[in-house]
C-alpha cells in the first residue's frame, strides 16, 4: 500500500472510532466518563494530522499519528484497568454513594451534585471487551498503520 493510502485508512479509522463514541453518546444516550473523553482527543488530533499529512505529503507527520494513537491506546489500557479494578481510577470519575450530602443540598439547584459518570463501571461491552478495551485494541492497529506509513517510501 502507498503512504497516502495508509494515512487515509488510519485517519478514517480515527473518524470511525470518534464517530462511534459520539453515536453512543448522542444516539445511545450513554454519557462518557472523564477517561472516555480523554480517549477522544488523540483521535481528533490524528484526524487533523491525517488531513495535513495527506495535503502536504510530509512523511514526518505520520510519526505524530503514531504518537496520537499510542496515547489514546494507553489511556484506553489504563481505563480497562480501572474498569477491571486492577488499579485505582481518577477521583473525579469514581464516585461513591451520596452519603453525607444533605437533602437541602440535593434539592438546591445552585449545588452541583449531579451523578458522576463512573470510569470504573463498564457501560457497554462486546465479546467481553469494553469500549475502552476496543479503543485500545483498534488504536494499536491504527498506530501500526501510521507507523507503516511513516516507513513507506
Amino acid at each position: 500500500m502507498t503512504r497516502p493510502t495508509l494515512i487515509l485508512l488510519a485517519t478514517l479509522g480515527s473518524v470511525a472510532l470518534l464517530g462511534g463514541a459520539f453515536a453512543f453518546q448522542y444516539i445511545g444516550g450513554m454519557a462518557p466518563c472523564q477517561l472516555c473523553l480523554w480517549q477522544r482527543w488523540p483521535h481528533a488530533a490524528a484526524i487533523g494530522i491525517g488531513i495535513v499529512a495527506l495535503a502536504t505529503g510530509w512523511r514526518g507527520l505520520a510519526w505524530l499519528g503514531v504518537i496520537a494513537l499510542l496515547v489514546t491506546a494507553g489511556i484506553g489500557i489504563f481505563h480497562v484497568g480501572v474498569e477491571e479494578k486492577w488499579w485505582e481510577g481518577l477521583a473525579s470519575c469514581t464516585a461513591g454513594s451520596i452519603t453525607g450530602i444533605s437533602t437541602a443540598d440535593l434539592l438546591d439547584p445552585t449545588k452541583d451534585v449531579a451523578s458522576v459518570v463512573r470510569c470504573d463501571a463498564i457501560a457497554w461491552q462486546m465479546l467481553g471487551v469494553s469500549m475502552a478495551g476496543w479503543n485500545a485494541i483498534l488504536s494499536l492497529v491504527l498506530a501500526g498503520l501510521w507507523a507503516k506509513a511513516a516507513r513507506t517510501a
Side-chain angles (χ1 to χ4, degrees):
M1 272 190 230
T2 66
R3 183 173 354 117
T5 301
L6 291 165
I7 291 172
L8 179 63
L9 288 173
T11 302
L12 291 176
S14 282
V15 167
L17 288 173
L18 195 54
F22 283 122
F24 273 102
Q25 181 177 353
Y26 292 108
I27 297 170
M30 295 175 59
C33 73
Q34 188 65 44
L35 289 173
C36 293
L37 292 172
W38 288 357
Q39 290 172 78
R40 294 178 183 188
W41 287 105
H43 283 295
I47 292 166
I49 291 165
I51 291 168
V52 173
L54 289 169
T56 64
W58 188 44
R59 180 191 309 195
L61 287 172
W63 290 113
L64 291 178
V66 171
I67 292 168
L69 271 294
L70 290 177
V71 166
T72 192
I75 297 168
I77 292 166
F78 177 76
H79 193 175
V80 168
V82 171
E83 290 172 337
E84 297 295 334
K85 315 292 190 274
W86 296 336
W87 45 72
E88 288 290 317
L90 307 173
S92 63
C93 67
T94 52
S97 72
I98 60 170
T99 303
I101 300 175
S102 71
T103 305
D105 285 343
L106 288 171
L107 296 174
D108 186 350
T110 64
K111 304 276 184 168
D112 185 15
V113 292
S115 64
V116 173
V117 178
R118 297 179 60 115
C119 296
D120 60 353
I122 298 172
W124 178 91
Q125 60 183 353
M126 181 175 70
L127 303 175
V129 179
S130 69
M131 281 192 279
W134 282 113
N135 178 62
I137 293 165
L138 296 172
S139 293
L140 290 172
V141 170
L142 295 176
L145 289 176
W146 277 109
K148 185 160 176 57
R151 293 188 312 262
T152 300

